[in-house]
Amino acid sequence: MAMATKHICVGVTAHVDAGKTTLNEALLYTGGQLRRLGRVDHGDAYLDTDQLERERGITIFSKQALLPLGEDKELVLMDTPGHADFSAEMERTLQVLDCAVLVISGTDGVQGHTRTLWRLLERYHLPVFLFVNKMDLAGADRSAVLKALREGLDSRCTDFTAQRSARDEEIALCDEGALEDFLSGGAVPDEAVARLVAQRKLFPCWFGSALKLEGVEELLSGLERYAPAPDYPKEFAARVFKITRDDQGNRLTWMKITGGSLKAKTPLSGGAGEERWEEKADQLRLYSGAKFRAVDRAEAGCVVAVTGLSHTRPGQGLGAQGEGERPALEPALTYELILPPEAAPHAALPKLRQLEEEDPMLRFVWDSRWKQIQVRLMGQVQLEILKRVIAQRFDLEVDFGPGRVLYRETIADTVEGIGHFEPLRHYAEVHLLLEPGPRGSGVQLATACSTDQLDLNWQRLIFTHLLERDHPGVLTGSPLTDVKITLLAGRAHEKHTEGGDFRQATYRAVRQGLMQAESVLLEPFYDFTLEVPAQCVGRAMTDIQAMGGTVEPPQSREDMTVLTGFAPVAGMRDYWQTVTAYTRGCGQLSCTMRGYEPCHNADEVVGEMGYDPERDEENPAGSVFCAHGGGYYVPWDQVAAMAHVDSGLTRNTPEEPEPSAAPAGGSLDRRGGSLEQDRELQALFEQTYGPVKRPAAFQSQKKPARTSLSEKYAIRDQQTGPEYLLVDGYNIIFAWDDLHALARQDVNAAREVLTELLIEYRAFRKCQVILVFDAYKVKGGVGSVERRDGIYVVYTKEAETADAYIEKTTYDLGKDHRVRVATSDGMEQWIILGHGALRLSARAFRAEVEQTRGEIAALIARHNVRPREENKLKHTAKIKKH
């Protein structure tokens, strides 16, 4: 019986001009798939199938080629773009790879975009093989490049072109099991090497010249021996990663089969509710370069282009496959798209939307303020390519106005936003908690709303409206990001509520919250590497500092000096022209997207854009209420007083505190809680319920006079006894996304994971931890307290909730100890503040736990440096002795 073919999807990626496409050409030629060796500079490379690619000599679109390997394996070689402007196309391809080959230029070493690629490969947990190309050129130094790889990427980059004994000795230092294999047999078996590669504990490295076919056969042999071949489930699953169109205009859905198999004419489905669709997979195409062959069935591991599907999108999972990860790379620039006089915007936009299907990071937006089409993209080269594509595809000769940076906005404090929409015979009210999120986290959602108050279907609809669009900020109207939005409460009418009512209420709730919050303008930053002659270093550093950038200490490289750091895109995107001028063509600038950081000249930008949030009629912050049979508008600052629902956090606003010297966002307790937020909550609590009376032992010394309201309500660290941390177990589990997902499958497992995290946390923080779980619904339950590796795990007794237990315990412990409570329960936070304790939100506690784990890992790493060196010496001694 013939052995089934294993399909291994290998992506080849690199910094631009490292020789990636040339390596693909050499692999196909060496593997017998090409009769002649094409060249990028000759415009006849096998995988440069597009005319634009051949003209420019760069890869713009990812392509694939099939390469049989041995008797039972077939490599699916995926050629990805190397230019940073097309890195979004590259990132989408990473989601379907089994492993990757990272090409390094032997003369340039580890470059800026190389580090970005390495971070992405790490993010998608991909095994990596390295090929150092252009070793035939002057200036290529094997030992220097290997040192740079180990210092700039990973210390486990290992030279596989060295002698077998030396190579295996290096491998043995990566893993105890490999060391035992080496000591016992004198070599590390291929199976062990393949295991270490698959686990990302080893990164094999080959040196050569793709153009001269040097080292290519060895790389191919290494892929055959060590590339991981996944075991796929029997149930059908597929991941969509790209949408294109062929020469006849047929829409092609590119997908990798990740389980079972797919037969032609099989119905596929996706979406949910009103957006659910079902279509047949009409034709299955296996492409290799520009050519394809139609197949009746595609097995797991294959990458196929499918016709007949009109609703698919990149990142979508089909069958048993889940959704893909949110892309890490996003466009940072926006340009006005200028249509020819005879073309109407309303007719051109639907055509341009087709390009969005093919590249989701490419966004065409109708700007109603300026009555123009704006396009968001990664950079200047992509802009030039886009102009050509629009002309070829739609016969539209477009132009572009001057580009500007795509800003974003976030918030620095926590607020409650309220939206109410009640014109005649309509009704919806929504309460949202808006909290700052980690940088780069986007918009995250959570719920603290009971289904007894608002049905689950209405809650899901609110989440749909929160994610269906970018929500404009109130500083410049730029998209909101890095914020966690929690649904606190809501209300629907039994007869009069429709879906559109919650859309209006949700949008207004976000907007009303932003009007109260301290908003922060964010701008995109580049990581840069700038190489200039030594005499130009002063000029370069002055320029970068003037544009708001940060420069690391200069490093000398022969007669040139290398500067690295990060700087705003606004100042850096055209800086290469300046570099070329003052270095007389000798300087080189390489930039890669770093992400969004607070804007260095926010006041100036806000003033220039002149955005007035209260005049933005398309994004009102106020609400609509009903009286005397008609609806009327209520300004945003009056909505809270008229709201129909009490979320548990809504109270009369206290007098405004005087400005303090604390930094934006509030001074932080050393473990991450915001003291200013606690002061605000305590001020509200005391105004509603009376002053908090603290035991005399913990009162701070009186001051001669109060200079600000915040001083009156300052929460001081208590002075005696160990610190106690009480954790509302189920509240935390259902607030943390990963534990929540685990709890849906196995609640016991989620409890165990949280318990283990807290054991680790307590051991490092040296505090007393009490983890409380509700057991009040258990008939006859007497409750229990268990000591597990230093923490207390409490199950409440019958008729006693975790809230009640925590409130009572906080009151008792607060007399003699500093007490903090981790919970996202708003009402519980009010009560514990009244007992003199510090509250810690689920989000802040998660950040604190992650910080603790990071500190533990760093401590272990520091302690392991010397033992690792000692072990290396010992292992070397063992090896020599053996």
Side-chain angles (χ1 to χ4, degrees), residues 312-334:
T312 47
R313 53 178 172 75
Q316 184 176 29
L318 300 175
Q321 180 65 53
E323 292 290 298
E325 291 192 45
R326 179 176 174 266
L329 304 175
E330 295 183 357
L333 300 172
T334 181

Side-chain angles (χ1 to χ4, degrees), residues 178-347:
L179 177 63
E180 293 299 324
D181 288 333
F182 183 74
L183 293 177
S184 61
V188 180
D190 283 357
E191 296 78 11
V193 175
R195 172 178 59 82
L196 293 175
V197 171
Q199 295 173 352
R200 286 181 55 86
K201 292 182 177 180
L202 175 66
F203 303 100
C205 182
W206 285 268
F207 294 80
S209 169
L211 188 62
K212 295 184 177 180
L213 300 180
E214 296 172 359
V216 176
E217 188 170 354
E218 291 80 2
L219 172 62
L220 200 55
S221 175
L223 290 172
E224 182 178 3
R225 297 165 70 181
Y226 309 127
D231 293 323
Y232 294 103
K234 295 182 179 180
E235 184 180 3
F236 167 72
R239 164 67 50 74
V240 177
F241 69 97
K242 186 171 68 168
I243 304 295
T244 64
R245 282 173 171 78
D246 63 14
D247 294 337
Q248 286 71 46
N250 297 311
R251 188 179 191 268
L252 301 179
T253 297
W254 293 77
M255 65 180 73
K256 179 185 179 183
I257 311 302
T258 56
S261 63
L262 176 63
K263 295 175 64 177
K265 307 301 182 183
T266 298
L268 298 177
S269 60
E274 296 180 357
E275 297 182 356
R276 184 168 179 79
W277 57 268
E278 181 174 305
E279 296 174 322
K280 284 186 179 180
D282 190 13
Q283 186 184 52
L284 311 184
R285 300 180 179 181
L286 279 180
Y287 272 86
S288 189
K291 299 179 180 179
F292 72 88
R293 58 184 174 90
V295 295
D296 293 330
R297 180 192 296 269
E299 302 293 339
C302 288
V303 174
V304 292
V306 182
T307 65
L309 305 178
S310 60
H311 291 83
T312 47
R313 53 178 172 75
Q316 184 176 29
L318 300 175
Q321 180 65 53
E323 292 290 298
E325 291 192 45
R326 179 176 174 266
L329 304 175
E330 295 183 357
L333 300 172
T334 181
Y335 293 81
E336 177 194 357
L337 186 144
I338 303 171
L339 294 169
E342 67 275 8
H346 69 273

